[in-house]
Amino acid sequence: MDMETESTKPDKNEVPGAAVLGQLLLMQSILCNLPGKHSIHQFICRGLLDIPGVKNVAYSEVPLPEVHKNSRVLDLIVDSSNHGLLLLELSDTHLFAPYEQYLKNFCFMVAVILEERRKRRKIEEHQIQLEETVAERTTELRVANEKLQVELAKQIRTDKLDSIGILAGGIAHDFNNLLSGIFGFLDLASQSCSITSRTYGYLKKAQQVNSRAKDLTRQLLTFSKGGAPEMKPGNLASIVRDNALFALSGSNVAVQFDLAGDLWVSDFDENQMGQVLNNLVINAQHAMRKGGTIVITAENKVLDADTVSTLPQGEYIKLSVIDTGTGIPIELVKNIFDPFFTTKKGGSGLGLATSYSIIRKHNGGIDVESAPGKGTTFYIYLPRSKFVLESLPVESIQSHRGSGKILVMDDQDILLDIAREMLEIMGYEVMTATDGDQALGLLGAEARSGKPFNLAIFDLTIPGGKGGIDTLIQMREMGIEIPVVATSGYSVDPVMATPDLYGFVDSIKKPYISKQLKELLNRLN
Amino acid sequence: MSYNADKLVSLGFTEQQFPAGIHICHIYRDINECEDAFLKFIISGLKAGEKTSFFSRNSTAQLLEEEFEKLGIIYEDKVESGAFSLSDTKEVYFRDDCFLPERMLALLADYYTTSQEEGYPAARVIGEMLPEIKEISGGSRLLEYEAKVSLLLKTHPVTAVCQYDAEAFDGATIMDILKVHPLMLIRGGVIHNPFFIPPEDFLGSL
């Protein structure tokens, strides 16, 4: 570099262009480093004061109305983008004249720099906006994906549930039929021995155990089928005590009842409500490993709208099952009714899900309050029945004698044997069929022989064969008008709940004991 | 400005060599530009065996250590030997909450004298002026100080670079700063500053 000395430094008065040009060029370079418009304007205005003949420099964003003859206006315009103007007040127009063109060029370059900065800033703003939009979209996608995962998990659970339901239904159906056989023969055996004998006691105990097995199977069937409850008006208090005491028998947990004496009648399926009570009481017992007392209360309650979510305003029976157990962590309470949700090792996670489903199908509501270390309370609300409960005869008929011919159709031989035994003891002639086609054959043959059946009992479900409904339809088409009773292990089958809608005169749930059969036959008589 | 062309030094941020004792202004746009300049200046000074000093307002010791290490320079050795010193700008410029040009000039003169006594071939210093000078007592004497530095360097030729943050100082102040620095570091090049007013003239106009 050629280092300048004092003697060679250009004199701005002797060489009009060089020094000023140098200054203007340097200013242009520095302008790029200055951060804002304001700083740039200050810098330029101060720098241009060194131009010979310039007295004052000011910046204006807007055009000026008039300009003095000793002033000059230099526009900062490029590509029709206006970046304001510089107003130069001159002390000596002649001294300034040689530099005017340099300044015009300089102002053009300044406008270029300002325009570049403006465009760069716009790009940066767009970039920031784009990044914000991307971040927003990413969040939206993440949230949507999380929702989707939740829905997918729910769907998988539902599909699993359905699959298990189908499997459970199949197994439970077969198991139920086997239990029916055991049930029936235990019943017959207990009838054929002395009530004071030890054998009678053993048989009764076996019946109780069988009954529990039946309940378990019913729970599985209810869960797998999820069908309509067989509603009958009744007093909830009656099943509360029985089920609670039975569930807690042999445990270190006691139960205390506080059931209103004037409890309203409600419509419910005794078996299903029994399941619900069983589930709640068992859960309470498991939460109280060190023992204690479960309190069960029942009261009449008038609810306003929204007092309990999902329940309309009205009159309800409120049942509370209160334990003093470990309580449920707050973050888990919301999942408590989800299928397969369980905090118990080895638990199925179906008990409360089934209970929830049953209560909802009863047009009721179920809720829970719990806190760790403070125990749990389940609340059940059932709508008050429109019906008034009439007192039933003191004891259902213990004996029945009849005559006539009854056709029993079921795919399970053991159930056919049980039914035959029971009915023959009662005095009936019994024929059996294992499927609908066989039944129709027998019906037709007996009708033609002039000795038609008086009654038929058809199993609704015949795997691989004609079931009860189809058989009934065909039978009617054959002109055979005898009454037909529907029977099924699926207590929640709608045919069982309202048999008359399907052409049956009544229904009886499997497994049935002779008492139930007698009650049925008496009703039909 | 006249310089002693017998002793030429390398500045680090340009290939050219310059006489020792030049006074350069660096108006930087961002921290990267600032760091790039001071690292190059300091390292070239240490490589040349010069006594080198740096005034920094940020704790840059770690950065310096890392950069030195890349070049095989042991930071601690240089500090212990006195070849390199790092000082806090506020403590140097604004001791007792005021800016005193006389104190600073005395420090600079003493720095050069010591470097000669210690046998260094040359001395250099780079420092950032803080925008707080606008508010501090004596801050209005900044331009006077810079002009006097140019005078001092004639007899005490410390190669000096003054760094100014373009974001922190307004445009008018930056223009004034140009008038008291004979040379400018701009876009990696050192140029003669056409705005420079010789210190005698500048100080005479105050």
Side-chain angles (χ1 to χ4, degrees):
Chain A
M1 176 174 128
D2 213 6
M3 296 302 301
E4 293 175 352
T5 62
E6 287 286 352
S7 59
T8 59
K9 192 179 74 172
D11 180 341
K12 68 178 182 184
N13 290 320
E14 286 183 7
V15 182
V20 168
L21 197 58
Q23 289 173 345
L24 294 177
L25 285 172
L26 182 61
M27 281 173 68
Q28 268 175 231
S29 299
I30 294 172
L31 279 178
C32 298
N33 278 12
L34 297 181
K37 261 198 319 199
H38 186 62
S39 196
I40 290 173
H41 300 149
Q42 283 181 333
F43 182 75
I44 294 171
C45 291
R46 186 65 70 91
L48 294 185
L49 284 175
D50 277 357
I51 306 291
V54 173
K55 185 175 161 190
N56 202 7
V57 183
Y59 170 81
S60 174
E61 288 240 354
V62 297
L64 300 166
E66 56 182 74
V67 177
H68 195 268
K69 65 176 179 183
N70 279 351
S71 300
R72 293 290 182 273
V73 171
L74 300 170
D75 293 313
L76 302 171
I77 296 177
V78 66
D79 293 338
S80 62
S81 289
N82 194 330
H83 291 275
L85 55 89
L86 295 172
L87 174 66
L88 276 62
E89 193 186 335
L90 304 178
S91 57
D92 188 332
T93 55
H94 294 292
L95 209 53
F96 173 75
Y99 304 101
E100 186 157 1
Q101 190 52 52
Y102 290 129
L103 276 183
K104 284 182 179 169
N105 295 348
F106 170 74
C107 286
F108 175 76
M109 289 313 299
V110 168
V112 167
I113 291 169
L114 290 173
E115 181 62 11
E116 291 295 304
R117 289 169 67 100
R118 187 188 69 82
K119 285 178 181 169
R120 202 179 323 127
R121 202 167 301 121
K122 250 204 147 112
I123 290 170
E124 283 165 10
E125 282 168 13
H126 281 143
Q127 193 171 344
I128 290 169
Q129 230 173 26
L130 187 65
E131 283 169 7
E132 281 172 6
T133 305
V134 166
E136 266 173 35
R137 293 282 179 268
T138 307
T139 304
E140 277 173 24
L141 277 171
R142 184 178 47 79
V143 167
N145 190 45
E146 282 168 7
K147 258 188 182 162
L148 191 64
Q149 294 302 321
V150 166
E151 290 303 318
L152 200 62
K154 266 189 189 163
Q155 186 59 46
I156 289 170
R157 272 211 305 267
T158 305
D159 289 347
K160 207 192 282 188
L161 203 64
D162 286 347
S163 301
I164 289 177
I166 293 166
L167 179 68
I171 293 171
H173 177 259
D174 291 343
F175 197 66
N176 202 43
N177 285 336
L178 293 171
L179 284 177
S180 301
I182 299 169
F183 215 65
F185 281 114
L186 284 174
D187 185 40
L188 286 170
S190 68
Q191 285 178 40
S192 57
C193 65
S194 165
I195 204 165
T196 55
S197 70
R198 197 176 285 182
T199 307
Y200 183 83
Y202 293 153
L203 288 168
K204 280 296 164 197
K205 283 213 166 91
Q207 276 183 315
Q208 278 178 3
V209 173
N210 200 53
S211 186
R212 289 184 70 176
K214 187 183 82 172
D215 288 341
L216 240 142
T217 316
R218 190 182 307 127
Q219 183 159 322
L220 209 50
L221 282 168
T222 305
F223 178 72
S224 69
K225 276 294 208 184
E230 196 180 320
M231 307 275 255
K232 288 185 183 140
N235 190 323
L236 205 57
S238 63
I239 64 162
V240 165
R241 276 187 207 278
D242 292 345
N243 280 277
L245 288 169
F246 182 74
L248 292 173
S249 59
S251 84
N252 63 345
V253 173
V255 61
Q256 182 185 311
F257 299 102
D258 181 9
L259 311 174
D262 60 346
L263 205 63
W264 290 329
V265 171
S266 55
D267 298 313
F268 57 89
D269 182 309
E270 192 177 307
N271 289 324
Q272 289 189 15
M273 282 309 298
Q275 279 185 48
V276 171
L277 284 158
N278 196 59
N279 286 334
L280 297 185
V281 168
I282 295 289
N283 279 348
Q285 181 210 350
H286 286 163
M288 297 164 70
R289 298 236 174 255
K290 293 180 184 170
T293 304
I294 297 169
V295 174
I296 302 179
T297 70
E299 59 181 312
N300 299 327
K301 193 87 181 166
V302 177
L303 295 182
D304 295 325
D306 300 327
T307 306
V308 176
S309 67
T310 74
L311 292 184
Q313 179 185 6
E315 293 174 325
Y316 293 84
I317 292 84
K318 179 182 175 185
L319 187 72
S320 307
V321 178
I322 308 158
D323 72 57
T324 55
T326 51
I328 306 166
I330 292 166
E331 64 275 11
L332 298 181
V333 169
K334 63 181 180 347
N335 297 116
I336 204 87
F337 295 112
D338 289 351
F340 305 114
F341 179 83
T342 179
T343 57
K344 287 186 259 187
K345 195 177 169 183
S348 67
L350 292 177
L352 287 177
T354 308
S355 302
Y356 183 88
S357 174
I358 289 170
I359 297 298
R360 293 298 296 156
K361 286 187 170 67
H362 278 71
N363 301 313
I366 183 168
D367 206 352
V368 62
E369 272 177 13
S370 186
K374 293 196 172 138
T376 301
T377 301
F378 281 93
Y379 301 102
I380 293 172
Y381 298 86
L382 289 185
R384 182 181 184 180
S385 175
K386 293 181 183 53
F387 299 104
V388 174
L389 198 63
E390 293 169 7
S391 45
L392 291 169
V394 172
E395 170 55 339
S396 48
I397 317 316
Q398 291 288 6
S399 63
H400 172 88
R401 292 297 298 176
S403 61
K405 197 190 293 186
I406 296 178
L407 173 64
V408 182
M409 187 262 283
D410 200 300
D411 59 307
Q412 297 288 321
D413 290 335
I414 195 165
L415 297 181
L416 290 174
D417 288 345
I418 295 283
R420 181 202 295 278
E421 285 284 337
M422 288 180 189
L423 290 167
E424 284 180 352
I425 288 170
M426 291 178 210
Y428 292 97
E429 183 187 345
V430 182
M431 292 181 87
T432 61
T434 55
D435 63 33
D437 286 327
Q438 195 181 20
L440 288 168
L442 287 171
L443 282 162
E446 294 304 296
R448 283 191 295 276
S449 72
K451 290 183 269 181
F453 288 99
N454 301 102
L455 177 70
I457 301 174
F458 288 166
D459 184 10
L460 290 176
T461 309
I462 303 290
K466 197 168 288 173
I469 294 175
D470 289 339
T471 309
L472 174 64
I473 291 169
Q474 266 195 260
M475 189 183 92
R476 295 287 184 246
E477 285 169 0
M478 286 163 64
I480 298 169
E481 298 298 328
I482 62 167
V484 182
V485 173
T487 185
S488 176
Y490 295 110
S491 63
V492 293
D493 193 312
V495 178
M496 297 298 289
T498 50
D500 52 310
L501 294 179
Y502 296 87
F504 295 92
V505 296
D506 210 323
S507 63
I508 184 168
K509 284 191 285 291
K510 289 195 293 184
Y512 45 79
I513 54 175
S514 50
K515 173 175 167 248
Q516 289 162 324
L517 202 49
K518 287 170 189 171
E519 284 170 1
L520 168 72
L521 292 168
N522 279 312
R523 282 200 301 274
L524 293 176
N525 282 342
Chain B
M1 288 285 296
S2 57
Y3 302 98
N4 180 0
D6 290 343
K7 193 176 282 186
L8 296 176
V9 297
S10 171
L11 299 179
F13 31 68
T14 172
E15 293 296 321
Q16 293 168 300
Q17 290 204 311
F18 294 86
I22 52 171
H23 186 196
I24 303 168
C25 171
H26 176 213
I27 297 170
Y28 64 85
R29 184 168 35 189
D30 53 45
I31 188 69
N32 293 330
E33 194 182 325
C34 175
E35 281 178 4
D36 183 64
F38 72 61
L39 282 171
K40 284 175 176 169
F41 185 74
I42 291 166
I43 287 168
S44 85
L46 291 175
K47 277 185 173 174
E50 294 178 23
K51 190 173 175 70
T52 307
S53 187
F54 178 34
F55 305 152
S56 170
R57 62 169 155 172
N58 300 316
S59 52
T60 50
Q62 191 178 345
L63 172 66
L64 289 168
E65 251 182 284
E66 286 166 7
E67 294 301 320
F68 282 16
E69 196 179 21
K70 288 177 193 173
L71 300 163
I73 301 170
I74 300 170
Y75 178 85
E76 275 170 13
D77 288 351
K78 292 297 178 187
V79 170
E80 271 177 31
S81 66
F84 176 73
S85 60
L86 173 65
S87 311
D88 182 81
T89 314
K90 265 192 184 167
E91 283 173 19
V92 173
Y93 281 123
F94 306 143
R95 203 182 335 145
D96 303 324
D97 286 329
C98 70
F99 176 72
L100 277 177
E102 291 74 20
R103 181 175 65 202
M104 292 305 306
L105 292 165
L107 269 174
L108 196 55
D110 186 57
Y111 180 71
Y112 176 75
T113 309
T114 307
S115 75
Q116 296 303 292
E117 286 167 3
E118 288 173 349
Y120 289 96
R124 61 175 63 191
V125 62
I126 181 166
E128 186 187 352
M129 180 50 69
L130 302 179
E132 286 91 318
I133 196 165
K134 290 180 273 188
E135 276 88 45
I136 208 153
S137 167
S140 59
R141 297 178 67 191
L142 171 63
L143 298 178
E144 176 197 336
Y145 162 70
E146 292 280 18
K148 286 180 175 175
V149 164
S150 294
L151 278 177
L152 176 67
L153 297 182
K154 288 183 187 181
T155 53
H156 295 71
V158 175
T159 306
V161 177
C162 304
Q163 294 187 297
Y164 288 84
D165 182 355
E167 295 244 359
F169 291 89
D170 61 64
T173 306
I174 286 173
M175 179 53 70
D176 288 340
I177 286 162
L178 289 178
K179 292 179 181 173
V180 289
H181 287 84
L183 292 152
M184 267 213 73
L185 167 61
I186 188 150
R187 304 288 173 95
V190 175
I191 59 169
H192 181 85
N193 181 2
F195 284 101
F196 177 64
I197 299 173
E200 299 83 354
D201 295 344
F202 183 83
L203 292 166
S205 69
L206 290 178

